[in-house]
Amino acid sequence: MWPQWMNMLSWWQWAIMAAIPPAIIALYFLKLKRLPLEVPSTYLWQRSIEDLHVNSIWQRLRKSLLLFLQLLIILIAILALLRPGCRGNKLIGERFVFLIDNSASMRATDQDPNRLDEAKRRAVQMIDEMHSGDVGMVVSFADTARVEQMFTDNRRSLCRAVEAIKPSSRSTSLGEALKVASGLANPGRTSYEESDIQTAEALPATVYILSDGRFDDVSNFSWGNLTLIYLPIGQEEAANIAILAFSVRRHETRADKLQAFARIENFGTDDVSLSAVLRLDGEVIDAAKIDIGGGEVEGVTFDLGATDSGKLELSINSHDDLEIDDKAYAAINQPRKAHVLLVTPGNEPLELALATPLANELADIDIQSPDFLNNKQYQTTSQSGGYDLVIFDRCAPKEMPQANTYFIGAIPPGEAWKAAEKVDVPNIIDVDPAHPIMQWIVMDDVLLHEGRPLIPPAGATTLIDTHAGPMLVIAPREGFEDVVQGFMLIENAGEGDEAGIYARTNWPIRPSFPVFVFNLLDYLGGGQRATAAGGVQPGQAVVIDAPASAAKASGKKISVRTPSGKTISLKESRPGRFNFTDTDEQGIYEALYDGKSFLRFAVNLFDSTESHIVPRKAFEAGPTAVEGQSGWKESRKEFWRWLVLAGLVILLFEWYIYNRRVYL
Amino acid sequence: MDLLPPELLARLEKMELISRKIFRGRMKGERRSRRKGQSVEFADFRSYVPGDDLRFIDWNTYARLDKLFLKMFFEEEDLHFYALLDGSLSMDYGDPTKFEYAKQLAAALGFVGLIRGDRVKIETLGQSHKAASPVFRGRHSMWRMIEHIDGFASGEPTTLAEGVKNFCLRNSGKGIVVVMSDLMDKAGFQPALRYLLAQEMDVYVIHILSAEEIDPDIKGDLRLVDCEDQDVAEITVSVPLLSRYQKTLAAFIETARDYCTRRGMVYLLAKNEVPVDELITGYLAKRGLVR
């Protein structure tokens, strides 16, 4: 361990410092004053000196002892000012929070045996260095933070808590962990009418973040009493090749065929050649050789042919430092048609659009008149999740169904949605092509006769905007989505002879309309899920709808089989809906109803932040950047006290010599 | 300074000066001379030879032995006691100063001489060879003597040899001479003592050194200035230098002692720290100057 130096003085101070030794030497040689002393006779002294002149060099050296000592003191002072220190194990403060990252990237094996174990080892090392009376807390964090051990001075339980931290496959969020830490160090305030008074005494704490820094910067964080010390774990040269995306889609032209797409990124700097192997239900069905340059991304496509269902696994033989992202999974589900209810007093253009073969492939469409809304069957089916999508044409239910909805020329019940007064000929000025519903939709040739600009609830996305206001808006609602259209397609209007069906827009006769209807069915009807369920990331919740066959049955029993074969029973969170959160494991999960698999979904890492495993040198937390400390910079062992002590001892020695004549 | 405190006087009362040589005084003193003669103290017998004083024939022996024997007595005579003080500047150091010490010693020894009827002369080196100094005799002269000693002042510019030479010129008679000096003469003390040897005097050399000279308590870088000739010695006090000094001092003392012993002089090293009465009753009695 070589000392590390810290400069404590500016250049002019150093200049003064550097001038001292020559000054001492100059003073010494100038010998400004020998103290005159009158003695009875120099007779004996002269004779003594004569004897000593023989070995005058030694005498001179001996005489210079004081000079040497003075120079030594100055040297020591200079050394002390350089603040030498070395990687010490001294912890600063009395309260410590050990934030240990156990996200997916911490599984990287660039450190032996892996980063998490290295982080744990260092945490244990630091806990060992705690003084008695110091308290520590252990928090593990990935996408969420978990207090493994509350503040305690029991080092053994702290170490046990550290040892108990298990690697996860989750992404990382430091903000959560910092919130936990700051909640204890910066206790909340209680508001009184006139002033803020702190309810508890703030307790300063030192937070040691043992992580590879692969997380997003935390912006809205105030340090308060916390001192953040970031100890990066991992090697700078860590290389990784990751599958960042893997999905299965229907062939663009041949709908009966499936295609698998994968995106592979090389996070290292070297060019790599590797092979990707695709397995269906464990059988190798395809392989590809991929060359990826350093820092580049490659895409691979596999033609699957006509595959109804199965579990797809793509693996690459990258032999890199992080294994978890070398495999990706995708589930192909039995095509399941969406269950769509159209409630309309009669809407020929819409019914035509829903009757196209493609639309029929996606959904079974049930067309009912508005009276059906009062029917008991509707009420039970809609409230138990029997429909995937309900389209309300110029009518509205009393209660929103447990399904996605599409309102045409009507406003959903309740306070959330509102509409302004009717506007004549609103000009379409914008569409949102980024939204899946509006894909491939061109509205340039569409004219609107009239419409009511919508006032959507918060979180809504405007799909069609007119000069008067939004005319087509999508907004989320408790896990469902509602699309509301402010203009009617057709209207039964007129009186007497003029009574009849009037078109309120020319959209139905434009090519974009059937495409829109198809998108709508595809997006809101759950068509996407039917072919190949897009995966979720580890730790994320999955919403599972009970199969239509189970909708009417009461006491539904839904369970999920994890990739490792464990079966977990689910509880209904809402009629027909189940939430599954135990998605820590990567792989394909199967949702079972009565022991039969009806839905598969894949859990994949697919996180470029996690896969990019080169540890970050610094990150930003709140207003300040937190620099990674190669050692424990803050906990370095300082030598300057010892140097000052040595200087004092030498000073004492010099003083003693000067006074007691104990020269060499 | 009170040269002779009463308690010292009381101790000195019982003492007398002793000479190892036989001196003929001009007057009878209370001194027992080696020369046998008329006195009350019996010394020896010897055979009668014609011409001897019949008064000294021991008739009792004649009656018993039928032979004539002459009774011999110690003759009592007075003694010349000289105290020679070094009054150079270098003596003006120490606490008490070496000069004060020498004065006190001279007074004490002088007093012993006075009470025994000896002729006491106390002089300093600086005195010229022509200047006569008073002679004290008898107890009644004590105060005069003390006054005389008190009148001495240090700072005489004479060298040791010069002073002794003048002393010898002034005082041709025999007797006891006590030289009190620090012997710190760059020309050496030997020539000075040689003069005294030529006088055939009973010489006592009391080498007075101050505590500062025997164990100098100095430190640092010093420029030593000789008070007499302004000679300068630049020293840096160090242990080797001090030990070297001690060796030099020891050699110096040894040389003086050796020189004196070889030539029948009595050498005595006196530190100014040792009280005068202790020196007289102890050391000087041991060396045979007083009894």
Side-chain angles (χ1 to χ4, degrees):
Chain A
M1 269 191 255
W2 290 103
Q4 303 163 335
W5 305 94
M6 286 167 81
N7 191 1
M8 299 297 293
L9 301 183
S10 58
W11 66 269
W12 61 270
Q13 286 168 320
W14 274 121
I16 292 173
M17 205 71 190
I20 293 176
I24 289 176
I25 294 170
L27 281 176
Y28 186 80
F29 281 111
L30 286 175
K31 229 2 148 198
L32 293 180
K33 243 186 193 173
R34 273 184 189 273
L35 210 62
L37 180 72
E38 202 173 56
V39 290
S41 176
T42 52
Y43 177 58
L44 293 174
W45 288 112
Q46 291 289 12
R47 287 172 61 180
S48 306
I49 299 168
E50 272 166 31
D51 289 341
L52 282 173
H53 275 170
V54 180
N55 44 13
S56 60
I57 291 172
W58 287 110
Q59 183 56 25
R60 193 164 276 277
L61 283 177
R62 282 194 189 111
K63 277 197 274 184
S64 309
L65 182 64
L66 284 177
L67 171 74
F68 290 150
L69 288 176
Q70 285 159 8
L71 290 178
L72 191 62
I73 290 169
I74 285 297
L75 186 74
I76 282 174
I78 289 172
L79 277 178
L81 282 167
L82 280 170
R83 270 188 81 184
C86 72
R87 274 178 64 171
N89 301 336
K90 202 167 147 272
L91 299 179
I92 308 291
E94 295 170 337
R95 296 168 71 85
F96 310 105
V97 181
F98 299 101
L99 296 186
I100 300 174
D101 184 356
N102 64 344
S103 65
S105 57
M106 292 296 279
R107 289 174 167 227
T109 51
D110 55 335
Q111 298 246 299
D112 187 47
N114 60 49
R115 285 183 182 178
L116 180 62
D117 284 356
E118 170 69 11
K120 279 153 79 170
R121 187 186 67 76
R122 283 176 74 169
V124 168
Q125 210 175 42
M126 283 191 279
I127 288 167
D128 282 344
E129 294 297 332
M130 279 168 56
H131 298 289
S132 61
D134 291 354
V135 290
M137 178 166 91
V138 177
V139 176
S140 66
F141 72 101
D143 55 344
T144 55
R146 185 185 143 127
V147 178
E148 304 279 347
Q149 172 65 53
M150 273 305 295
F151 275 122
T152 177
D153 57 356
N154 185 339
R155 278 184 252 171
R156 188 180 293 179
S157 43
L158 285 172
C159 288
R160 249 199 318 257
V162 169
E163 293 300 340
I165 296 172
K166 293 213 161 47
S168 78
S169 311
R170 300 180 175 210
S171 54
T172 322
S173 158
L174 179 67
E176 283 278 325
L178 287 182
K179 263 181 224 159
V180 171
S182 69
L184 289 145
N186 306 324
R189 289 155 182 260
T190 292
S191 285
Y192 289 90
E193 277 180 4
E194 278 158 18
S195 66
D196 274 2
I197 295 167
Q198 276 190 309
T199 50
E201 201 188 335
L203 295 166
T206 310
V207 179
Y208 286 97
I209 302 168
L210 295 121
S211 168
D212 50 13
R214 283 295 153 194
F215 41 71
D216 293 331
D217 290 337
V218 186
S219 53
N220 54 346
F221 171 68
S222 114
W223 289 38
N225 280 317
L226 293 183
T227 309
L228 296 193
I229 295 175
Y230 167 44
L231 305 176
I233 307 279
Q235 308 283 337
E236 289 287 321
E237 59 273 17
N240 188 31
I241 297 154
I243 304 173
L244 282 187
F246 182 50
S247 61
V248 179
R249 294 279 165 99
R250 293 212 170 272
H251 199 284
E252 275 169 36
T253 50
R254 287 146 52 203
D256 55 331
K257 296 273 164 57
L258 288 177
Q259 273 185 317
F261 301 95
R263 185 157 60 91
I264 299 167
E265 184 164 354
N266 181 0
F267 289 98
T269 47
D270 301 333
D271 296 357
V272 189
S273 174
L274 49 87
S275 56
V277 178
L278 183 68
R279 289 184 176 85
L280 178 66
D281 294 331
E283 301 274 326
V284 176
I285 57 165
D286 204 349
K289 195 161 157 39
I290 308 159
D291 295 310
I292 315 179
E296 285 181 5
V297 186
E298 284 291 326
V300 209
T301 311
F302 297 97
D303 283 319
L304 297 180
T307 308
D308 268 355
S309 67
K311 302 171 187 173
L312 275 179
E313 181 198 312
L314 179 71
S315 56
I316 52 173
N317 59 339
S318 60
H319 309 295
D320 55 15
D321 290 324
L322 188 62
E323 240 175 60
I324 188 169
D325 55 10
D326 294 342
K327 276 188 180 163
Y329 303 89
I332 307 170
N333 282 313
Q334 208 100 48
R336 183 180 75 87
K337 283 191 178 176
H339 205 186
V340 178
L341 174 67
L342 170 62
V343 186
T344 174
N347 191 335
E348 202 184 345
L350 182 61
E351 284 167 37
L352 270 173
L354 286 171
T356 59
L358 266 178
N360 271 326
E361 252 180 44
L362 280 178
D364 286 329
I365 295 148
D366 187 6
I367 302 172
Q368 298 287 347
S369 68
D371 299 337
F372 182 66
L373 295 179
N374 301 321
N375 197 322
K376 201 164 182 198
Q377 187 205 339
Y378 162 76
Q379 277 163 5
T380 48
T381 316
S382 70
Q383 292 307 316
S384 65
Y387 300 112
D388 293 306
L389 171 66
V390 185
I391 303 170
F392 298 98
D393 180 25
R394 289 165 286 157
C395 61
K398 289 187 188 101
E399 209 179 325
M400 289 299 275
Q402 295 295 317
N404 297 323
T405 57
Y406 173 38
F407 286 83
I408 302 168
I411 300 298
E415 295 296 308
W417 290 87
K418 288 194 174 61
E421 282 305 306
K422 202 176 271 181
V423 180
D424 283 337
V425 198
N427 284 323
I428 295 172
I429 55 174
D430 196 17
V431 295
D432 182 1
H435 198 276
I437 292 181
M438 299 308 286
Q439 269 179 328
W440 309 300
I441 307 268
V442 181
M443 301 288 280
D444 296 350
D445 50 358
V446 175
L447 299 172
L448 305 181
H449 177 254
E450 57 178 30
R452 296 174 70 187
L454 297 166
I455 303 162
T461 309
T462 301
L463 300 177
I464 298 176
D465 207 1
T466 66
H467 76 274
M471 280 296 166
L472 187 68
V473 178
I474 184 164
R477 165 183 54 96
E478 298 170 359
F480 301 104
E481 281 181 293
D482 302 319
V483 178
V484 178
Q485 185 177 312
F487 58 94
M488 291 179 257
L489 297 172
I490 53 168
E491 190 181 13
N492 295 333
E495 282 173 21
D497 294 344
E498 291 177 353
I501 298 171
Y502 290 87
R504 290 301 180 218
T505 169
N506 63 349
W507 195 18
I509 59 166
R510 298 297 177 207
S512 59
F513 186 67
V515 178
F516 167 75
V517 173
F518 175 78
N519 283 348
L520 198 73
L521 291 178
D522 194 24
Y523 182 77
L524 295 181
Q528 178 93 357
R529 207 184 306 152
T531 52
V536 293
Q537 286 189 328
Q540 286 183 347
V542 178
V543 176
I544 297 167
D545 292 329
S549 54
K552 292 172 193 105
S554 59
K556 294 171 273 279
K557 282 183 186 157
I558 300 282
S559 55
V560 170
R561 188 156 59 215
T562 65
S564 54
K566 205 163 67 171
T567 309
I568 300 161
S569 308
L570 302 186
K571 280 203 178 127
E572 209 167 17
S573 60
R574 253 202 318 254
R577 285 236 144 168
F578 297 84
N579 282 327
F580 179 68
T581 51
D582 232 348
T583 54
D584 272 344
E585 210 177 325
Q586 258 205 128
I588 292 176
Y589 292 70
E590 282 184 294
L592 308 171
Y593 170 64
D594 273 351
K596 270 183 252 161
S597 162
F598 69 92
L599 176 72
R600 294 195 182 98
F601 57 92
V603 173
N604 289 300
L605 183 60
F606 293 164
D607 187 329
S608 59
T609 317
E610 292 296 323
S611 293
H612 194 170
I613 57 172
V614 176
R616 276 212 295 178
K617 292 194 179 93
F619 61 87
E620 276 177 23
T624 336
V626 180
E627 287 286 333
Q629 296 176 2
S630 54
W632 305 355
K633 198 168 167 191
E634 234 52 29
S635 57
R636 56 190 253 130
K637 264 186 184 158
E638 297 275 14
F639 295 143
W640 66 268
R641 284 187 189 84
W642 296 109
L643 285 170
V644 168
L645 200 65
L648 280 176
V649 168
I650 292 171
L651 198 64
L652 276 177
F653 184 55
E654 195 212 353
W655 182 82
Y656 178 72
I657 282 174
Y658 180 75
N659 283 286
R660 302 301 302 267
R661 309 167 311 207
V662 281
Y663 277 16
L664 289 171
Chain B
M1 190 187 104
D2 194 0
L3 286 175
L4 290 171
E7 57 269 28
L8 177 59
L9 284 178
R11 298 181 73 172
L12 296 176
E13 288 270 9
K14 298 165 193 141
M15 296 188 153
E16 59 175 324
L17 296 166
I18 301 165
S19 174
R20 289 170 303 151
K21 294 180 177 171
I22 299 165
F23 303 111
R24 179 187 282 270
R26 292 195 185 101
M27 298 168 76
K28 283 211 188 250
E30 288 184 355
R31 183 149 308 283
R32 192 180 63 175
S33 163
R34 290 265 173 99
R35 216 174 64 186
K36 299 179 178 62
Q38 292 177 332
S39 178
V40 284
E41 200 172 342
F42 172 75
D44 205 354
F45 290 104
R46 74 168 166 85
S47 300
Y48 173 77
V49 286
D52 277 342
D53 194 341
L54 294 176
R55 285 176 296 174
F56 295 116
I57 292 174
D58 189 346
W59 297 110
N60 291 336
T61 321
Y62 176 70
R64 260 185 280 156
L65 303 171
D66 205 16
K67 271 186 181 174
L68 282 172
F69 283 100
L70 214 62
K71 241 165 127 183
M72 291 174 68
F73 295 92
F74 285 113
E75 194 170 41
E76 288 185 344
E77 54 184 346
D78 65 346
L79 181 73
H80 290 231
F81 174 77
Y82 303 98
L84 186 56
L85 279 71
D86 182 352
S88 65
L89 265 176
S90 67
M91 289 291 282
D92 210 7
Y93 283 85
D95 183 31
T97 64
K98 291 185 279 182
F99 191 58
E100 290 291 341
Y101 192 79
K103 273 158 83 174
Q104 202 177 0
L105 195 56
L109 290 173
F111 175 73
V112 173
L114 286 182
I115 56 172
R116 295 294 175 194
D118 296 330
R119 285 156 45 88
V120 175
K121 242 182 164 179
I122 297 175
E123 298 183 336
T124 62
L125 287 177
Q127 222 167 309
S128 87
H129 66 281
K130 284 174 192 161
S133 47
V135 177
F136 307 104
R137 194 183 163 110
R139 186 185 281 268
H140 59 276
S141 305
M142 185 184 92
W143 294 112
R144 243 175 4 107
M145 182 190 74
I146 288 176
E147 233 167 67
H148 177 67
I149 295 173
D150 259 343
F152 291 156
S154 62
E156 296 168 333
T158 339
T159 63
L160 189 59
E162 187 75 18
V164 173
K165 187 178 154 195
N166 286 339
F167 168 79
C168 293
L169 287 174
R170 279 195 307 269
N171 304 286
S172 49
K174 295 173 181 178
I176 299 174
V177 59
V178 178
V179 180
M180 292 169 227
S181 170
D182 54 10
L183 303 180
M184 298 277 190
D185 194 307
K186 297 236 164 72
F189 56 87
Q190 290 89 340
L193 297 184
R194 216 171 286 143
Y195 282 114
L196 290 174
L197 275 177
Q199 291 292 99
E200 283 186 62
M201 282 181 160
D202 197 358
V203 182
Y204 285 84
V205 177
I206 298 184
H207 191 185
I208 302 175
L209 290 177
S210 67
E212 290 83 354
E213 283 165 320
I214 293 167
D215 187 15
D217 183 25
I218 52 174
K219 53 206 162 210
D221 297 329
L222 296 174
R223 195 161 153 268
L224 301 179
V225 182
D226 193 313
C227 64
E228 286 176 11
D229 56 5
Q230 305 301 311
D231 182 31
V232 166
E234 292 197 337
I235 59 160
T236 298
V237 182
S238 63
V239 167
L241 180 67
L242 287 177
S243 65
R244 180 60 63 182
Y245 176 83
Q246 290 293 349
K247 275 182 197 159
T248 312
L249 178 68
F252 174 59
I253 291 169
E254 203 46 53
T255 312
R257 189 197 306 278
D258 195 46
Y259 185 89
C260 293
T261 314
R262 279 170 189 273
R263 286 160 182 79
M265 298 183 230
V266 174
Y267 172 90
L268 181 75
L269 177 67
K271 298 179 190 176
N272 68 343
E273 282 171 327
V274 180
V276 170
D277 57 337
E278 204 174 297
L279 184 80
I280 291 171
T281 56
Y283 295 93
L284 282 177
K286 222 181 272 175
R287 296 296 168 95
L289 179 63
V290 291
R291 184 168 60 186

